Amino acid sequence: MAVQKILRMGDARLLRVAEPIREFNSPVLDRLIQDMFDTMAALDGAGLAAPQIGVNQRLVIFGIESNPRYPDVEPVPTTVLINPEIEILSDEMDEAWEGCLSVPGLRGLVPRYTRLRYRGYDQTGRRFEREVHGFHARVVQHECDHLDGILYPRRIRDLTQFGFEEDLFPEQGAE
Ligand code: NI
């Protein structure tokens, strides 16, 4: 288990545009992906982008079975997504609360597109694509934003809907 330190908002490395991965099936890549899964699991995250652990490459992971941080959301398959491309399928957006391991303790109400198709590669270099909606589409947009140096607070339309989780949702009690 190799849990890595997560960079937090304010660290300039989170603002970079990440570089495409060119070599698949390598021990270095496999180790990076394992470290990312270990880190995400240790922190109960729904997703993690390589730049969040200081690796400036276009690689994200995500997946939710049942997660105490997201008790009401539909499951998302455990996915390794490299060099992603997103095609928005509808202009429709909705708003939901998001958090981020790089913005600990805070939540914001973020608009996202509701339907999209994404394409990319898994860790073996196999190309795949999926058409998704709802929470799955939201997670993909959040994680892929990290690859372009964008943290979710920049997507919030109304900054009154951004704050500390404990204070926004006191009825939920301490986690
Ligand atoms: Ni994030």
Side-chain angles (χ1 to χ4, degrees), residues 47 52 99-102 142-143 146 151-152:
Q52 291 181 275
C100 180
L101 296 175
S102 293
H142 176 115
E143 297 309 328
H146 278 294
L151 299 175
Y152 80 81

Side-chain angles (χ1 to χ4, degrees), residues 45-64:
L48 187 68
Q52 291 181 275
I53 59 168
V55 175
N56 196 37
Q57 297 191 321
R58 301 189 79 79
L59 159 61
V60 303
I61 64 169
F62 50 83
I64 291 194

Side-chain angles (χ1 to χ4, degrees), residues 68-143:
R69 290 184 68 206
Y70 303 92
D72 302 321
V73 302
E74 66 250 46
V76 176
T78 299
T79 301
V80 173
L81 178 59
I82 296 171
N83 300 346
E85 302 158 32
I86 291 178
E87 178 187 351
I88 302 299
L89 297 177
S90 160
D91 289 338
E92 184 190 18
M93 301 182 91
D94 69 359
E95 291 196 306
W97 292 95
E98 293 188 13
C100 180
L101 296 175
S102 293
V103 192
L106 292 153
R107 290 291 174 101
L109 195 60
V110 182
R112 299 286 185 188
Y113 292 103
T114 57
R115 299 178 59 82
L116 58 83
R117 180 180 294 121
Y118 64 91
R119 300 183 178 83
Y121 299 86
D122 69 12
Q123 65 268 43
T124 69
R126 185 183 64 88
R127 190 163 167 84
F128 68 102
E129 68 173 68
R130 288 183 185 144
E131 190 176 321
V132 299
H133 64 276
F135 186 70
H136 191 154
R138 175 171 295 276
V139 168
V140 169
Q141 289 167 87
H142 176 115
E143 297 309 328

